[in-house]
Structure formats: structure tokens, C-alpha cells
């Protein structure tokens, strides 16, 4: 027999699935802000925040929503090298595959973009942009100068990445959107909504206010960490449910299980 | 699934570590509480001791004041000489006791001859012994009384028992101490109880002389000498007439 906790556990698998997107006050605000910025005549938009604050899912969400209205493309993982990146970009711009054994001439690509100005407006969503090298970022900047291609650059918020932003985009980025960790209320709503989306009403109710405070304390409101912790909590619950049911309180998730999960994930230490 | 048992053990260790400061804190609070309670209890004991000390002091101080108010000079002298005085008095009183005992025995013996009931001898002898013991007890009490309040106790006791020994003791003590007015008073009290007691009369006369009533004293003494032909009385008469008292 399948444990109820198995379903709950799977709700929190950390993946960028647009169907799992949860509308929260903070995420709705960020979404609207990004959409508004994209309508402005900007060359580049910087979306930054700490890992797990929902940058990738926001980019996915906006691409999914606007794909029928705008020419919008999402580059999820950074290209291994420059050649691969320009192959990808060539395909987006020309809507053709690059013939094999050929390379993109960057100067010709810039000229091509300049010719597109006023005719097409292409939006490129670059996720994990901190992984692009300095030279590559400079070429991206030159492409954005053509005004035919608009880049939304998503960066992790670290000191180094701030430096990248300063060096390469300072003069061109006209809009900066920062994503922050969730507040306790937002995180509570996030967990409840996720569970209710899968009709796990009883389990959602078994996570009490104090449990939420503890979860928020451990994860600091980070969505990715929250997913990891909830996944582990329900994994432990699933084990007890199947093997030692006396150790599970179905009405309330015990602090003990939350602490065990936190120990497992290294949020707390012996 | 990972090893849940290992995770449980880890959690137990974590819990122990987490609660450690609480246990230490609780321990410190308990120790401090016990220390405070112990400290306060000790303070109470000391306080009570002090209270008792002050109470005792208060009791002593007023009695001294009373004594001083009555006759400061006399009491000062008495404080110095009281031990000696009591010893002297005891010697004399003990002598008296022997005399009383002998007299009592003689009286009893004469009674026995007259009644001639041997059984009554035994029954009569025991109360006499008890009486003697009782009197001796009284004397012991006087000896034990080393403070000025001892005289007060004897006076108080006299008013209850009307014991001639107590009156004589006080008369002699006050005379030796120079309190002639009181000596005169207690000599008169002793004489009231037994007007044949030469000792009381002699102290009375000597006190009169000391108080400046020499003529009155001589008149009383001369009439006594005529009546009793006492050698002690004659000796005193000679001393008074020649101002050698």
C-alpha cells in the first residue's frame, strides 16, 4: 500500500516544473515587475538573487506565459563553450540550424542583428549567467547594443557576481530585479499551496504554525532548501508510516522528525 | 532509504547537546536558590541571636537604673562587696541554723518526755529535718544570688514567708553596707517577729546611733541591759557611750 507521505514527498522534488509554480505575493510582484521591464526599450535586464530564490522558475514562467506574444527564448543551462552558445543563438535568430563544420562569424552576427532592428524584437532569457566567461559576456553586450536582441540575465547574488554585473552590464542594464528569500508567511503559503495542489489537505494541516517557524528558521526562507527539507521530512515520515507507525503522529508533524531531517541535511549539527 | 537508526542516534545526541545548557542553567538556578535560602536562614538565626542579646541587655539595664534611682551610692558599694557580704551573712545564718536546730530538738525532746509516745518521736522528727533542709535551701539560694537583685528577692520572699532569718540577714547586710535606714527597718521587722532576739535589737540600736539618734539608742539599749543583763548589750553600751562604734 502506498504511503500518503510518499505523494507528499514527491511534491517537493526540486525541479523547474512550470505546473508546480506557486503564486505567492512576492513571486507575483517579481513576475509583474519583470514583465513590465521587458516592455520597456531596455537592452539588458538583470535578475539576481541567492540560489533557490526562484529565478529559474520565474524565467520559465514568463517564457511560458509570453511565448505566444513575444519572440522569447530561454537558455536554461550555459553553453559549454562559445561555439555552442553561438550555434544556439544563430538558430534562434535565423531559425535555421548552422551547417556542420561551420562556425559563427561574430561580426556578421552583429550585423545581422542590426538589420533586424525595428523588424523583430527577440528576448533571450539567460539563466545561470554567472557561468559565462568575461569574453562571452562582452559579446553578449555587443549583441544587445544592436537593440534587436534584449537579454534578461539571471545571476546568483554573490560578491563576485556583483562584480560581473558592474564590469559588464553597468552601462547597459537599465533595470535590476532582485529576488529575495521568502518570509515566513510566504513560505507557509508556499508549502500549503503545494500540498493542496495535490489534494494533500490532511498533511498540509498536520504542519502547524510552530513547525513552519522551525522550517523557516532552518531554511531561511529559501525555496530550494525548503523543498529539500520537506522532501526529507516526508521521506522519514514515509519510512515510519511503513515500518514503525507508532512513531508517526498523523495529526501533527513532530519536532523530532523535522530535527532529524535538518540533521540529515546539515542545517543543524550534533 | 538511508539508515534511520543512525539518524535517530544522531538526533538523540543532538537533543542531549541542545538541552545541556538548559540542564546547566536549571542546575545553577537550583544551586543559587539553595544558597539564597541557606544564606537567608543563617541571617535569621543571627538576627534572632541579636534580638535575644538586645532583649537581655534591655532587661538588665532598667533594673540597674531602678537600683541606682533608689540608692545609687549604696548599691555601688554593694556591687563591690556583695560576694564578701553574702559569705559573711551565710556564716552567721548557718550558725543560727544550728542554734535553731538544737533548740527545735530540745523542744521536741521535752515534748516527747511529756507525751511519752515513742511512735510520735519518729513522726515529729521528720518534719523538723525537712524544715531544716528547706531553710538550708533558702540560704543556698542567697549564696547563689550574686547580683543586687538577690537582696530584692530576699525582701520579696520575706513579705511572703515572714521568715526572721531573712529579716536578720537583710538587717545585717544593709548595716554592713552602710544603709542604716534599711538596716534599722529590717532589724525592727526581725524584732517584731521575735522580740527576744538580741541580735535584731543590737542592729536596731547600732543603726539608730549611725543615723544620729544616739540618745534614743542609748535609752533602748539601757532598758534592754537592765532587763536581760546581756554581756553583748553591755559591750555595745560601752562602745556607744565612748563613741567607739
Amino acid at each position: 500500500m502506498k504511503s500518503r507521505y510518499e505523494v507528499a514527498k514527491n511534491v517537493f522534488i526540486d525541479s523547474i516544473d512550470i505546473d508546480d509554480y506557486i503564486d505567492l505575493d512576492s513571486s507575483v510582484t517579481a513576475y509583474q515587475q519583470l514583465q513590465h521591464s521587458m516592455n520597456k526599450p531596455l537592452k539588458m535586464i538583470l535578475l539576481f538573487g541567492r540560489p533557490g530564490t526562484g529565478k529559474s522558475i520565474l524565467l520559465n514562467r514568463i517564457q511560458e506565459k509570453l511565448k505566444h506574444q513575444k519572440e522569447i527564448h530561454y537558455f536554461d543551462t550555459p553553453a559549454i563553450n562559445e561555439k555552442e552558445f553561438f550555434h544556439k543563438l544563430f538558430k534562434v535568430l535565423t531559425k535555421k540550424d548552422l551547417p556542420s563544420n561551420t562556425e559563427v562569424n561574430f561580426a556578421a552576427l552583429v550585423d545581422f542583428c542590426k538589420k533586424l532592428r525595428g523588424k523583430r524584437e527577440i528576448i533571450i532569457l539567460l539563466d545561470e549567467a554567472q557561468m559565462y566567461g568575461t569574453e562571452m559576456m562582452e559579446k553578449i553586450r555587443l549583441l544587445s547594443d544592436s537593440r534587436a536582441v534584449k537579454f534578461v540575465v539571471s545571476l546568483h547574488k554573490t560578491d563576485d557576481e556583483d562584480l560581473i554585473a558592474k564590469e559588464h552590464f553597468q552601462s547597459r542594464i537599465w533595470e535590476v530585479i532582485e529576488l529575495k528569500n521568502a518570509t515566513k508567511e510566504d513560505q507557509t503559503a508556499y508549502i500549503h499551496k503545494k500540498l493542496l495542489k495535490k489534494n494533500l489537505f490532511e498533511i498540509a494541516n498536520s504542519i502547524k504554525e510552530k513547525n513552519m517557524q522551525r522550517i523557516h528558521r532552518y531554511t531561511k526562507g529559501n525555496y530550494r532548501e525548503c523543498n529539500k527539507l520537506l522532501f526529507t521530512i516526508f521521506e522519514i515520515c514515509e519510512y515510519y508510516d511503513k515500518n514503525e507507525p507508532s512513531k508517526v503522529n498523523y495529526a501533527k508533524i513532530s519536532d523530532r522528525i523535522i530535527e532529524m531531517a535538518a540533521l540529515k541535511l546539515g542545517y543543524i549539527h550534533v | 532509504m538511508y539508515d534511520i537508526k543512525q539518524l535517530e542516534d544522531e538526533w538523540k545526541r543532538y537533543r542531549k547537546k541542545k538541552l545541556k545548557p538548559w540542564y546547566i542553567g536549571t542546575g545553577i538556578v537550583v544551586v543559587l536558590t539553595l544558597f539564597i535560602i541557606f544564606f537567608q536562614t543563617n541571617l535569621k538565626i543571627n538576627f534572632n541571636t541579636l534580638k535575644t542579646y538586645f532583649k537581655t541587655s534591655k532587661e538588665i539595664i532598667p533594673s540597674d537604673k531602678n537600683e541606682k534611682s533608689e540608692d545609687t551610692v549604696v548599691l555601688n558599694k554593694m556591687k563591690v562587696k556583695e560576694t564578701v557580704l553574702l559569705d559573711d551573712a551565710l556564716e552567721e545564718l548557718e550558725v543560727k541554723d544550728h542554734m535553731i536546730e538544737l533548740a527545735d530538738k530540745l523542744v521536741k525532746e521535752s515534748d516527747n518526755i511529756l507525751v511519752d509516745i515513742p511512735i510520735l518521736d519518729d513522726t515529729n522528727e521528720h518534719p523538723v529535718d525537712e524544715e531544716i533542709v528547706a531553710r538550708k535551701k533558702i540560704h543556698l539560694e542567697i549564696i547563689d544570688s550574686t547580683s543586687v537583685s538577690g537582696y530584692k528577692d530576699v525582701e520579696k520572699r520575706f513579705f511572703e514567708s515572714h521568715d526572721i532569718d531573712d529579716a536578720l540577714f537583710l538587717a545585717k547586710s544593709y548595716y554592713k553596707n552602710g544603709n542604716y535606714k534599711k538596716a534599722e527597718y529590717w532589724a525592727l521587722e526581725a524584732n517584731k517577729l521575735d522580740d527576744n532576739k538580741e541580735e535584731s535589737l543590737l542592729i536596731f540600736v547600732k543603726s539608730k546611733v549611725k543615723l544620729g539618734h544616739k540618745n534614743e539608742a542609748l535609752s533602748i539599749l539601757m532598758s534592754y541591759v537592765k532587763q536581760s543583763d546581756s554581756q553583748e548589750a553591755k559591750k555595745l553600751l560601752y562602745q556607744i557611750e565612748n563613741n567607739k562604734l
Side-chain angles (χ1 to χ4, degrees), chain A residues 166-180:
Chain A
K166 277 176 191 170
E167 284 176 355
H168 301 285
F169 306 109
Q170 205 168 33
S171 59
R172 290 161 188 87
I173 293 166
W174 292 356
E175 193 87 2
V176 177
I177 300 166
E178 185 181 0
L179 292 184
K180 290 179 179 173

Side-chain angles (χ1 to χ4, degrees), chain A residues 209-220:
Chain A
E209 182 64 26
K210 276 195 169 181
N211 296 147
M212 290 296 186
Q213 282 177 5
R214 194 177 283 271
I215 290 165
H216 188 262
R217 196 165 69 239
Y218 292 149
T219 61
K220 295 181 175 69

Side-chain angles (χ1 to χ4, degrees), chain A residues 45-196:
Chain A
I45 299 160
L46 178 64
L47 180 68
F48 81 106
R50 298 212 171 268
T53 47
K55 296 184 295 292
S56 299
I57 200 148
L58 179 62
L59 291 179
N60 266 274
R61 170 90 166 159
I62 207 144
Q63 195 246 347
E64 188 64 28
K65 284 271 179 184
L66 301 177
K67 67 182 178 187
H68 300 297
Q69 301 161 31
K70 291 179 186 285
E71 209 176 321
I72 186 164
H73 303 274
Y74 175 61
F75 286 20
D76 53 353
T77 47
I80 303 163
N81 50 47
E82 201 179 296
K83 188 184 171 184
E84 193 191 328
F85 174 74
F86 285 116
H87 270 235
K88 224 172 167 180
L89 196 62
F90 180 85
K91 194 180 178 182
V92 164
L93 296 172
T94 61
K95 296 176 185 173
K96 288 175 189 171
D97 282 327
L98 193 71
S100 55
N101 298 322
T102 51
E103 273 191 29
V104 175
N105 181 332
F106 181 71
L109 191 67
V110 172
D111 287 341
F112 180 77
C113 286
K114 282 177 181 171
K115 284 176 190 170
L116 291 176
R117 188 175 171 180
K119 294 174 187 169
R120 287 167 67 191
E121 195 180 79
I122 303 155
I123 299 168
I124 309 285
L125 307 173
L126 284 181
D127 204 359
E128 307 284 356
Q130 74 279 355
M131 293 178 80
Y132 292 102
T134 316
E135 200 180 329
M136 186 98 108
M137 289 310 297
E138 190 60 28
K139 286 178 176 172
I140 290 169
R141 182 185 67 79
L142 289 169
L143 284 171
S144 72
D145 283 343
S146 70
R147 292 203 175 250
V149 186
K150 189 182 282 182
F151 287 93
V152 177
V153 178
S154 168
L155 282 176
H156 283 175
K157 190 190 176 188
T158 63
D159 291 342
D160 290 345
E161 286 139 18
D162 281 348
L163 193 70
I164 291 168
K166 277 176 191 170
E167 284 176 355
H168 301 285
F169 306 109
Q170 205 168 33
S171 59
R172 290 161 188 87
I173 293 166
W174 292 356
E175 193 87 2
V176 177
I177 300 166
E178 185 181 0
L179 292 184
K180 290 179 179 173
N181 283 338
T183 60
K184 190 172 73 62
E185 290 71 26
D186 267 354
Q187 195 176 46
T188 303
Y190 172 78
I191 294 166
H192 276 158
K193 281 184 178 182
K194 274 215 156 205
L195 289 166
L196 293 177

